[in-house]
Amino acid sequence: MKKSTVGILAALAAVSVAGTANAQMAPSTPFSIGVNAGAALPTGDFGDFASTGWTVGVDGTFNITPMFGIYAGYSVSQFTLDEELFGEDIEGNLTEQGFDAGIKATFGGGALPFTPFLKGGLVYHKLSADFDDIDDEEEDELETDSELGFEVGGGIMLPLGARISVVPSASYMQWTPEDDGDETIDISSVKLQIGLNIRI
């Protein structure tokens, strides 16, 4: 009888410890942080004078419900001037950067081994140009004002544990510099990225 009672108590203790460990491992808040990097492919008229570059970003998400969340972050993309258009005599970089914010919707509900998501929102970005081998210092660096635009995208979250997921994603972004009398074009690109999402 004593052995049976001791066995039951030991089993209950083991279940209690396991439950406590799982509770400690599980996400405790609706917040998550994401970091990502990848390739930025200029599109449309912007793609006529810019070559494929790189992009990095960081964002935070607050889940209002298990399915819907609000995200905000900052991203930077850099492109090189297209040598076929400008020639080898003119070299330089185009840096596009700014704030991003919007709504993220996740799907699956735990039925899948991964979690698909879609996102969409506003961007507040600017574009700067840094030219090499130009004698006029005033023309060496140019920068636009920040303007509003939009982005849409999606991806999947592949869990590595209770808190961390690998996130491959793709998105499209577009905005237009202010028309100051000169001809303006849409600044648009497709971003192919991979990153980490960390639940807090």
Side-chain angles (χ1 to χ4, degrees), residues 38-105:
L41 290 68
T43 62
D45 292 336
F46 184 50
D48 290 340
F49 62 87
S51 298
T52 298
W54 54 263
T55 183
V56 296
V58 60
D59 62 69
T61 301
F62 175 79
N63 277 90
I64 303 172
T65 70
M67 183 175 179
F68 292 103
I70 299 173
Y71 72 90
Y74 196 89
S75 60
V76 180
S77 301
Q78 188 173 92
F79 310 86
T80 56
L81 295 176
D82 191 337
E83 291 185 358
E84 294 182 0
L85 180 63
F86 291 93
E88 296 181 356
D89 294 336
I90 297 180
E91 297 181 353
N93 296 317
L94 301 172
T95 303
E96 191 264 341
Q97 60 186 312
F99 295 96
D100 321 305
I103 297 175
K104 180 185 291 184

Side-chain angles (χ1 to χ4, degrees), residues 21-175:
N22 289 334
Q24 291 175 347
M25 289 294 293
S28 58
T29 74
F31 291 97
S32 63
I33 297 174
V35 292
N36 50 71
L41 290 68
T43 62
D45 292 336
F46 184 50
D48 290 340
F49 62 87
S51 298
T52 298
W54 54 263
T55 183
V56 296
V58 60
D59 62 69
T61 301
F62 175 79
N63 277 90
I64 303 172
T65 70
M67 183 175 179
F68 292 103
I70 299 173
Y71 72 90
Y74 196 89
S75 60
V76 180
S77 301
Q78 188 173 92
F79 310 86
T80 56
L81 295 176
D82 191 337
E83 291 185 358
E84 294 182 0
L85 180 63
F86 291 93
E88 296 181 356
D89 294 336
I90 297 180
E91 297 181 353
N93 296 317
L94 301 172
T95 303
E96 191 264 341
Q97 60 186 312
F99 295 96
D100 321 305
I103 297 175
K104 180 185 291 184
T106 57
F107 308 92
L112 299 173
F114 55 86
T115 303
F117 70 89
L118 296 174
K119 70 174 185 177
L122 299 177
V123 301
Y124 188 60
H125 282 207
K126 64 181 179 180
L127 182 72
S128 60
D130 184 8
F131 297 99
D132 299 332
D133 301 327
I134 293 182
D135 294 333
D136 190 345
E137 293 184 0
E138 293 184 358
E139 297 295 332
D140 186 52
E141 295 185 7
L142 301 173
E143 184 175 282
T144 71
D145 293 331
S146 295
E147 299 292 340
L148 283 174
F150 72 91
E151 69 171 353
V152 292
I156 57 175
M157 292 186 284
L158 302 167
L160 295 179
R163 295 176 181 270
I164 302 177
S165 298
V166 174
V167 185
S169 65
S171 62
Y172 174 79
M173 180 275 309
Q174 179 181 310
W175 62 279

